[in-house]
Amino acid sequence: MHVEEFIPNTPQKKIGEGSVGFTSPSNIALVKYWGKKPHQIPANPSISFTLNNCKTETFLRYTPKTSDGFSFEVYLDGKKQPEFRPKIEQFFERISIYSPFLANFHFDIETTNTFPHSSGIASSASGMSALAMCIVALEALVYEDSDAQFLKRKASFLARLGSGSACRSIEGGFVVWGAHSSILGSSDLEGVAFPFEVHEVFKDYQDAILLVDKGEKQVSSSVGHNLMHNHPFAKERFQQAHDHLDALIPILKSGDLNAFIHIIEREALTLHAMMMSSDPYFILMKPNTLKVINTLWSFRKETQIPICFTLDAGANVHVLYPKRYATEVEQFIQNKLSGYCQNGQYILDHVGKGVEPIKI
Ligand code: PMV
């Protein structure tokens, strides 16, 4: 593995205080990452698309310091969040070899999410990628000769060390993470833009996120990933992810929606099947998750509208559909599916761009 290219080898410049800011989107995986090796290396490749409306906005305010160690405060919506400290501390420790200047500053990390607080939507992908992008923006000030394309790659590399799937939120659109033999340039270390042709239908694909359960997950993703070690079906599952990604390449090009639906739903259900067959086993779906899926299947059968669902590591359901069916599908969601959501809540989103700087 070529992690060396991410270790700076030029002298640091002295800079004064200042701030940088970025927005970064959440992403939804089509082929799922579930299971990892040490150093946040995925056990299988995955592909996702970045969203447009579910974003984190982060400002990193930096003040030079001379004392040893990391010094930072984290704020969410202007309020100090001491409970976020351990995760950020661990992130800083993991990346300090790649960003040695971190110890030279005190940081105020100010963050807000555009999606409702405690909506059950993981903010780790958008949050960690926004923070990673802020850190490389600071790196560009601390080292000379940092080029923009390299810094974006490095942001993905660092984001991965904060939360695996966060590395797929730097680039926009369809992003692959994890080495795959058919995808030149794919890497276990960073997310890369899907390098093949994508049919028009997928360029503005819609994702309605149904908030079935907004509570804290009973089993965290990290525990779930770890349970793939010694999982009786791990080997077959990892191979299936490679095969699904291979199959998606021509499907994303041709726009074959039936074939797309088949893979996407199989991925979602396999992810949860892995959870249900882990030892210890667990279930993250709720009764309303299944009600949504069955109602969606009936709607698809009756109307022949090519909608499908995917799931992440939780009870919420992502309903995916082409933009040209937005009116009918959104009516169906409002009339039939919103009743299965907590307080009737859902978020309409679609394929979006990756990280973007915030003018300060
Ligand atoms: O990035 P993590 O460690 O929160 O894991 C994310 C795992 C899934 O959302 C279930 C799948 C994926 O590829 O995003």
Side-chain angles (χ1 to χ4, degrees):
M1 263 181 291
H2 300 291
V3 294
E4 292 76 18
E5 65 171 317
F6 297 110
I7 302 176
N9 56 11
T10 50
Q12 286 180 37
K13 282 192 291 181
K14 274 210 169 0
I15 61 164
E17 62 176 37
S19 64
V20 287
F22 283 86
T23 62
S24 187
S26 189
N27 67 71
I28 178 68
L30 302 173
V31 172
K32 310 287 179 180
Y33 145 61
W34 197 243
K36 62 178 159 186
K37 303 177 196 166
H39 309 290
Q40 300 274 99
I41 298 301
N44 64 260
S46 57
I47 183 169
S48 59
F49 62 77
T50 45
L51 296 174
N52 189 67
N53 302 333
C54 293
K55 283 184 179 158
T56 297
E57 186 177 285
T58 297
F59 291 96
L60 184 69
R61 306 201 191 280
Y62 51 89
T63 318
K65 70 170 181 69
T66 49
S67 54
D68 289 341
F70 302 126
S71 167
F72 63 89
E73 290 296 346
V74 197
Y75 302 83
L76 176 67
D77 300 328
K79 272 201 231 110
K80 236 183 226 182
Q81 302 289 324
E83 67 272 27
F84 288 2
R85 288 189 61 91
K87 187 124 207 218
I88 306 276
E89 182 93 36
Q90 182 194 48
F91 178 52
F92 278 12
E93 269 158 24
R94 282 185 186 164
I95 68 170
S96 64
I97 170 173
Y98 308 109
S99 305
F101 54 88
L102 287 177
N104 302 345
F105 296 92
H106 167 79
F107 296 109
D108 286 310
I109 303 164
E110 292 166 17
T111 179
T112 37
N113 294 324
T114 57
F115 39 93
H117 187 46
S118 64
S119 57
I121 301 186
S123 55
S124 59
S126 52
M128 280 299 174
S129 51
L131 180 57
M133 200 61 209
C134 289
I135 290 170
V136 299
L138 176 57
E139 170 165 340
L141 303 172
V142 172
Y143 299 106
E144 273 158 23
D145 304 332
S146 320
D147 91 273
Q149 200 42 43
F150 172 76
L151 289 174
K152 259 189 145 181
R153 284 188 49 219
K154 179 155 178 180
S156 176
F157 172 84
L158 295 181
R160 184 193 99 247
L161 294 168
S163 169
S165 57
C167 76
R168 297 188 312 236
S169 282
I170 302 288
E171 291 286 345
F174 291 80
V175 176
V176 174
W177 168 41
H180 187 279
S181 57
S182 309
I183 303 177
L184 199 68
S186 58
S187 164
D188 286 343
L189 299 180
E190 58 189 292
V192 298
F194 179 69
F196 304 115
E197 198 180 325
V198 172
H199 191 277
E200 284 304 313
V201 72
F202 293 119
K203 290 195 176 148
D204 53 5
Y205 224 62
Q206 309 288 298
D207 178 5
I209 308 159
L210 308 191
L211 307 179
V212 168
D213 187 69
K214 305 200 284 170
E216 182 103 347
K217 282 187 277 188
Q218 286 124 330
V219 180
S220 71
S221 288
S222 3
V223 171
H225 285 295
N226 280 332
L227 290 173
M228 287 305 283
H229 295 297
N230 304 319
H231 191 291
F233 310 130
K235 196 165 151 253
E236 291 77 5
R237 160 59 197 153
F238 300 147
Q239 183 56 46
Q240 182 198 44
H242 281 267
D243 297 345
H244 278 167
L245 197 40
D246 247 330
L248 268 184
I249 296 170
I251 292 171
L252 287 177
K253 182 175 175 191
S254 67
D256 179 345
L257 294 178
N258 287 334
F260 178 78
I261 287 171
H262 183 74
I263 288 183
I264 283 6
E265 293 190 344
R266 211 161 164 228
E267 273 292 314
L269 294 178
T270 303
L271 170 71
H272 285 258
M274 290 299 113
M275 298 172 190
M276 290 192 257
S277 48
S278 294
D279 188 8
Y281 45 82
F282 59 104
I283 302 179
L284 294 184
M285 290 189 283
K286 297 284 182 198
N288 278 352
T289 309
L290 295 182
K291 287 191 180 143
V292 166
I293 292 173
N294 281 304
T295 312
L296 182 153
W297 279 344
S298 304
F299 175 78
R300 186 165 78 212
K301 202 164 171 209
E302 277 159 28
T303 62
Q304 297 296 309
I305 290 176
I307 73 171
C308 67
F309 72 88
T310 189
L311 305 165
D312 53 20
N316 295 332
V317 184
H318 290 247
V319 177
L320 306 181
Y321 50 99
K323 189 165 188 214
R324 64 173 180 275
Y325 296 107
T327 312
E328 297 96 308
V329 173
E330 284 157 24
Q331 234 162 43
F332 161 64
I333 291 172
Q334 181 55 35
N335 296 343
K336 295 275 164 56
L337 299 184
S338 67
Y340 300 126
C341 301
Q342 265 192 3
N343 308 322
Q345 263 188 302
Y346 58 89
I347 299 169
L348 296 178
D349 211 334
H350 55 86
V351 175
K353 297 193 205 123
V355 282
E356 284 180 301
I358 306 170
K359 283 225 167 66
I360 296 174

